Every structure is written in structure tokens, then in C-alpha cells.
Amino acid sequence: MIKVRKVVNEQELQLVFNIRKEVFVKEQKVSEEEEYDEYEHTSTQFLAVAEDGTPCGTARWRKTDNGIKLERFAVLKNYRHSGVGQHLMYAILTDIEEDPNISQQKIYMHAQTTAIDFYKKLGFEVVGNEFEECNIRHFVMER
């Protein structure tokens, strides 16, 4: 059973950073300077924890001038294809939908091309052309 919760303290935020370092910095070779940004403390961060208590995934959302942007979806390799990403997405969308101040805004993301089919299954559509971000191919997707 995967449990997803909002990050509420610096200790949990460090767990988020550890997961993102493993997935983005080590696996995908994104520089730490590009991975960690000025939105770390203003975004709403989420942490997924496996049944055995292991932190295994993370994602965040934040308000932008273009709507609500979903970002930094990362699942540790051993936990991929086990529902972690889906649990993270549902937790984020529920959180957004519960806030009447933002629930009507456009929801979008910069999705890596390898994850397009996953996000399509969750109701997102590709918008626009492919582009490169941090040397990784992406598409904008909206819901």
C-alpha cells in the first residue's frame, strides 16, 4: 500500500530532495543547479511512502501565471510500475480540487516524452511541440 502525504517540514523535504537526486541527478544526469530551484519552499510538495516505510516517490505543484503547474514527478527505480506515480497524481489533483481559489485554473506540466502515455491515462493531453529541458525531451500536457 502506497501512502502519499504533503510535505510539512524540512526533514520530509530532505527526503523529497534525496529521491529527486537519485532519479534526476544520478539517473538522468540533470545538474543539481537545474534540479533545485527557487520554488522549493513555495511549491506544495508531496512524498510517497511504501508499505514498509520507505520514501519512494515525490511530486509537487505550484501556481504560475499560466495556471497550476505539476512538476518533479520522481519514483525510485525499484518502485516504478507499482502505482506510486498514480497515487502521487491523485493526491495532487485532490489537493488542487479541494481549494476553491485554484480548482478552476488550467492544470499543466512539462512531461518527459517517456511518460506521455502514463499521463494520457490520467486525463492529460499533449499541447504543442516537443522541446528540450535539461537535455531531456518534453511536451507540455494539460488536463
Side-chain angles (χ1 to χ4, degrees):
M1 177 76 177
I2 303 298
K3 292 185 180 174
V4 177
R5 64 179 184 260
K6 277 189 201 182
V7 170
V8 296
N9 59 46
E10 287 297 317
Q11 182 181 0
E12 290 178 340
L13 188 60
Q14 191 56 56
L15 296 173
V16 164
F17 291 163
N18 292 346
I19 292 167
R20 286 174 35 197
K21 184 172 187 172
E22 187 66 33
V23 173
F24 295 125
V25 177
K26 291 182 180 176
E27 282 182 44
Q28 297 185 343
K29 308 299 184 214
V30 172
S31 72
E32 287 193 40
E33 295 76 28
E34 289 180 290
E35 176 53 33
Y36 306 105
D37 62 21
E38 67 269 27
Y39 305 113
E40 300 301 350
H41 289 87
T42 57
S43 298
T44 302
Q45 308 259 7
F46 288 80
L47 179 66
V49 179
E51 195 168 5
D52 66 0
T54 303
C56 58
T58 185
R60 73 182 193 191
W61 70 263
R62 65 183 174 92
K63 297 177 191 176
T64 73
D65 291 339
N66 297 318
I68 304 300
K69 186 175 184 190
L70 311 186
E71 302 178 304
R72 305 301 201 272
F73 279 83
V75 176
L76 294 177
K77 191 179 283 188
N78 290 346
Y79 294 90
R80 291 182 195 147
H81 308 290
S82 65
V84 175
Q86 190 172 1
H87 279 82
L88 281 162
M89 181 62 79
Y90 289 148
I92 285 177
L93 293 175
T94 299
D95 190 52
I96 293 167
E97 289 165 4
E98 289 176 348
D99 187 337
N101 297 318
I102 60 171
S103 61
Q104 299 305 310
Q105 293 187 34
K106 174 177 75 174
I107 298 174
Y108 73 102
M109 70 176 73
H110 292 177
Q112 293 184 14
T113 56
T114 56
I116 296 295
D117 289 338
F118 169 73
Y119 293 123
K120 281 182 176 179
K121 290 176 187 170
L122 296 172
F124 287 81
E125 296 178 356
V126 171
V127 179
N129 297 317
E130 189 177 46
F131 63 95
E132 192 170 289
E133 195 171 73
C134 299
N135 297 315
I136 300 169
R137 306 304 297 169
H138 288 74
F139 280 97
V140 173
M141 294 190 82
E142 293 179 1
R143 187 166 196 258

